[in-house]
Amino acid sequence: MTQHSNEPPGAGATTLVANRETLERLFIRPENAEARAALIKYMEQILFGLHDFLGRHVGITQEASLKSLSERFVNTRISEHPARKLSDVIDALIEEIAPHAVNVASPYFIGHMTSAIPYFMVHLATIVAALNQNPVKLETSKVVSLHERQVLARVHRLVYGRSDAFYDLHVQRPESALGCFVEDGTLANMTALWVARNRLLSSADGMAAVETDGMAAALSARGIRRLVALVSRLGHYSLGKSAGVLGIGNKNVLPVPVDMENRMDLRALVRMLDDLSRTEPETRVLAIVGIAGATETGTVDPLPAIADICQKRGIHFHVDAAWGGPSLVSEKYRHLLAGIERADSVTIDGHKQFYMPMSCGMIYFSDPSAMDAVAYHARYINRIGSVDLGIRSLVGSRAATSLALGGALDIMGARGYALLIDHGIELARALAAEIRRRPMFQLITPPSLNILTYRLAPPELARRLARSAPADRPPVNAAINQINIDLQRLQREAGRSFVSRTTLATPWGETAVLRAVIMNPFTDMAILNEILDEQEAIYRDELME
Ligand SMILES: Cc1ncc(COP(=O)(O)O)c(C=O)c1O
């Protein structure tokens, strides 16, 4: 047999055996003192081991090619007998996996929406795992389902700010659902479109319903040829994926142009809607999606105006606030999301700006009966009239993430979270000012919240671009694009800091930009200056011709 490098040391000559006695020792057994000691011992090994490791390992990731790493993970057999003890597995994860994973907790990691988390999240996640509740049904969660409804109502109140009487009525009412937990933002967006689709094509009018009779029957009964959803061209790709799964078709998620500030262009939106009703009377608009914190630019669409348009035309208004939603905790900046309270549905991700570990998607509805459109019952669980949220969630079995979010809201308070939000927004503004100040850089999209994009544009090329006639710009812009593509890769490979990259449409054409997401509380202006300095140095030393 070939000896693979990812085989544990001594594999083959192992003395570990799987038998009833060793198996019993592996299960959580509250009555057993030895089991309790083991639980504590290994938890310490994990926490202290990781802590020491993170102390030693301050960069983003260790230098090793993906190819060389992939060669370590080619053994596809499950060993017949146990290959490693838990302590060895923990050591291996800390010593062999962690160094080559990505240190998203580094304050120099400002490229994605994943960052450092407060330490108590690890403890809360441990409780979620240890209790192993399954909120799909009351019989495997009991009080956890009630607690979950309360946590959902707390976040619903943050978004919609309804009256005490509203929440008193709906918080524990079996017939009401203020929202539900799903796996992630993708499934939250999918739930929003699922509800919108089923409400539009329900059996209430006596015709075929999409959920029971299928899309073809529901559309033909109404003389509809296609459904479309409109979102700015900066919409997250999960909307297209959702439209694919829901039988709408991802090409029927129509991209609305954006204005100079990367917000949905309202005139273009109205023109598209008018054109559709004039030229395609058999097309129905399923939903308009406003973004509160676009993935690439962090921009917020003009939500109040979109709400007016949806209201006037009777269209479902969904707000994708997967990123920006938690900004509502900030007294100073919640006005940036004004209009969100008029949405029919809102997506928010706990694993983004509520700083939770992966993953915690949430979908909220203005109408507590909206989710009836996607209710499913089963004889063995989720019986009619039950308070289970599993009746309405797209996900079946799932972790009780509400325990972690509820705990986090208590520990942080709105003020605690607001400190994080304010820090991100204010530091992003300071970074934008610094980028404007430096001759080597161009700010491409200023921050609305805490995301911005920019690029390194050597002054000589920037001047040439500004002076060229439109027809002569593409090659100059392409040269600047290449510099930024190479720069981002070289900085990532150097492993000290990380900024991400995307491509935006700008007046110069398709433009490669560097994207900064500021959410780590330990990122400060000194670190951001170091990152910009490093980018200038990489350009000077490795890219300048
Ligand atoms: C605006 C927006 N919506 C939806 C999503 C999808 O979230 P998830 O990755 O949790 O599925 C993202 C992810 O980045 C996002 O930025």
Side-chain angles (χ1 to χ4, degrees):
M1 196 183 97
T2 340
Q3 188 71 26
H4 291 294
S5 54
N6 67 325
E7 272 179 354
T14 178
T15 53
L16 298 174
V17 273
N19 58 30
R20 177 79 204 179
E21 191 194 335
T22 54
L23 186 71
E24 279 182 8
R25 278 199 251 126
L26 293 180
F27 276 75
I28 294 181
R29 291 169 61 207
E31 76 287 1
N32 182 309
E34 212 181 308
R36 180 189 150 96
L39 206 59
I40 294 170
K41 179 173 128 194
Y42 294 116
M43 200 56 89
E44 282 187 348
Q45 189 189 349
I46 293 174
L47 295 179
F48 293 145
L50 269 179
H51 193 81
D52 290 350
F53 164 76
L54 288 173
R56 274 181 280 129
H57 176 73
V58 288
I60 299 296
T61 187
Q62 276 185 16
E63 215 180 326
S65 73
L66 271 186
K67 185 167 180 309
S68 72
L69 288 175
S70 69
E71 282 158 8
R72 297 189 197 175
F73 301 98
V74 290
N75 182 356
T76 53
R77 289 197 171 81
I78 298 174
S79 61
E80 191 184 343
H81 284 288
R84 281 171 166 160
K85 292 186 298 193
L86 173 59
S87 60
D88 295 333
V89 168
I90 295 171
D91 277 348
L93 289 175
I94 293 174
E95 298 299 330
E96 295 164 25
I97 300 288
H100 299 292
V102 177
N103 181 6
V104 296
S106 163
Y108 289 79
F109 183 88
I110 57 160
H112 284 302
M113 295 170 160
T114 307
S115 180
I117 52 174
Y119 72 82
F120 63 75
M121 293 294 185
V122 178
H123 300 90
L124 295 176
T126 305
I127 292 190
V128 173
L131 288 179
N132 194 29
Q133 300 296 291
N134 184 353
V136 69
K137 53 184 179 285
L138 272 182
E139 288 166 4
T140 47
S141 61
K142 200 174 173 184
V143 73
V144 174
S145 285
L146 307 179
H147 174 266
E148 175 175 79
R149 293 183 69 98
Q150 182 193 28
V151 175
L152 287 165
R154 292 167 81 186
V155 179
H156 188 282
R157 190 172 197 134
L158 182 68
V159 175
Y160 288 102
R162 298 279 174 75
S163 65
D164 285 345
F166 175 90
Y167 291 105
D168 289 348
L169 174 64
H170 293 293
V171 61
Q172 297 297 347
R173 184 169 173 260
E175 299 78 27
S176 304
L178 298 175
C180 77
F181 286 93
V182 284
E183 192 64 26
D184 59 2
T186 298
L187 294 194
N189 280 340
M190 194 178 295
T191 304
L193 294 188
W194 188 26
V195 167
R197 186 197 72 164
N198 287 11
R199 292 187 109 191
L200 187 69
L201 306 176
S202 78
S203 59
D205 51 12
M207 288 191 233
V210 62
E211 192 70 22
T212 46
D213 303 296
M215 195 65 131
L219 292 186
S220 78
R222 293 166 178 81
I224 300 175
R225 283 170 69 95
R226 68 166 179 155
L227 298 179
V228 295
L230 285 84
V231 63
S232 105
R233 67 160 192 241
L234 291 170
H236 190 262
Y237 73 96
S238 56
L239 293 162
K241 200 191 278 189
S242 305
V245 171
L246 291 168
I248 295 158
N250 60 29
K251 74 171 194 199
N252 293 321
V253 177
L254 308 181
V256 182
V258 291
D259 61 17
M260 293 299 287
E261 284 160 12
N262 286 293
R263 293 150 48 96
M264 185 187 270
D265 179 338
L266 292 168
R267 277 201 292 213
L269 172 68
V270 170
R271 210 169 35 243
M272 285 171 78
L273 292 169
D274 289 344
D275 283 355
L276 281 171
S277 55
R278 204 183 53 251
T279 61
E280 294 184 39
E282 291 161 343
T283 292
R284 288 291 292 277
V285 180
L286 171 74
I288 299 177
V289 182
I291 315 169
T295 315
E296 290 161 293
T297 56
T299 36
V300 181
D301 284 331
L303 305 180
I306 303 175
D308 287 343
I309 292 169
C310 287
Q311 196 175 343
K312 194 163 134 216
R313 298 178 187 239
I315 297 171
H316 184 105
F317 176 31
H318 175 60
V319 172
D320 183 354
W323 175 252
S327 316
L328 290 164
V329 295
S330 164
E331 289 290 331
K332 237 164 146 182
Y333 297 113
R334 66 168 292 135
H335 68 275
L336 297 174
L337 270 59
I340 194 170
E341 72 288 351
R342 294 179 59 196
D344 293 300
S345 53
V346 174
T347 288
I348 297 184
D349 270 347
H351 52 273
K352 294 189 165 76
Q353 294 206 79
F354 278 127
Y355 291 78
M356 291 179 66
M358 295 294 143
S359 59
C360 172
M362 291 171 277
I363 178 73
Y364 292 94
F365 289 90
S366 164
D367 173 359
S369 68
M371 295 197 82
D372 289 353
V374 294
Y376 268 78
H377 299 281
R379 279 190 302 274
Y380 80 109
I381 50 168
N382 297 344
R383 295 174 198 98
I384 292 170
S386 159
V387 76
D388 300 296
L389 281 175
I391 291 173
R392 296 174 179 90
S393 176
L394 176 56
V395 186
S397 294
R398 61 199 162 86
T401 34
S402 63
L403 297 177
L405 178 56
L409 293 173
D410 286 343
I411 294 167
M412 298 287 285
R415 280 273 171 84
Y417 272 119
L419 289 172
L420 293 169
I421 298 289
D422 294 356
H423 171 263
I425 292 177
E426 284 158 18
L427 192 54
R429 289 178 180 181
L431 174 60
E434 178 61 21
I435 288 167
R436 281 200 175 102
R437 205 187 56 72
R438 291 190 182 219
M440 281 294 253
F441 291 99
Q442 286 177 336
L443 185 66
I444 305 293
T445 56
S448 310
L449 297 171
N450 49 356
I451 298 177
L452 60 80
T453 68
Y454 65 104
R455 67 175 179 174
L456 188 144
E460 159 31 38
L461 284 177
R463 262 194 305 276
R464 215 184 318 153
L465 189 65
R467 286 185 196 141
S468 322
D472 300 329
R473 283 181 202 151
V476 189
N477 200 48
I480 305 179
N481 282 350
Q482 198 54 52
I483 289 172
N484 284 276
I485 292 168
D486 293 341
L487 172 63
Q488 193 267 347
R489 179 180 48 78
L490 289 168
Q491 189 171 35
R492 188 191 67 216
E493 285 172 3
R496 283 181 296 273
S497 46
F498 175 78
V499 172
S500 62
R501 176 173 72 75
T502 188
T503 305
L504 295 177
T506 71
W508 307 301
E510 291 289 290
T511 299
V513 297
L514 305 171
R515 168 175 169 264
V517 181
I518 312 290
M519 69 182 296
N520 187 313
F522 298 104
T523 303
D524 58 18
M525 209 47 231
I527 288 177
L528 295 176
N529 269 314
E530 276 181 55
I531 294 175
L532 295 177
D533 290 346
E534 187 189 17
Q535 289 174 339
E536 290 197 26
I538 291 173
Y539 171 69
R540 263 196 322 274
D541 301 344
E542 302 185 52
L543 297 172
M544 201 162 83
E545 281 164 7

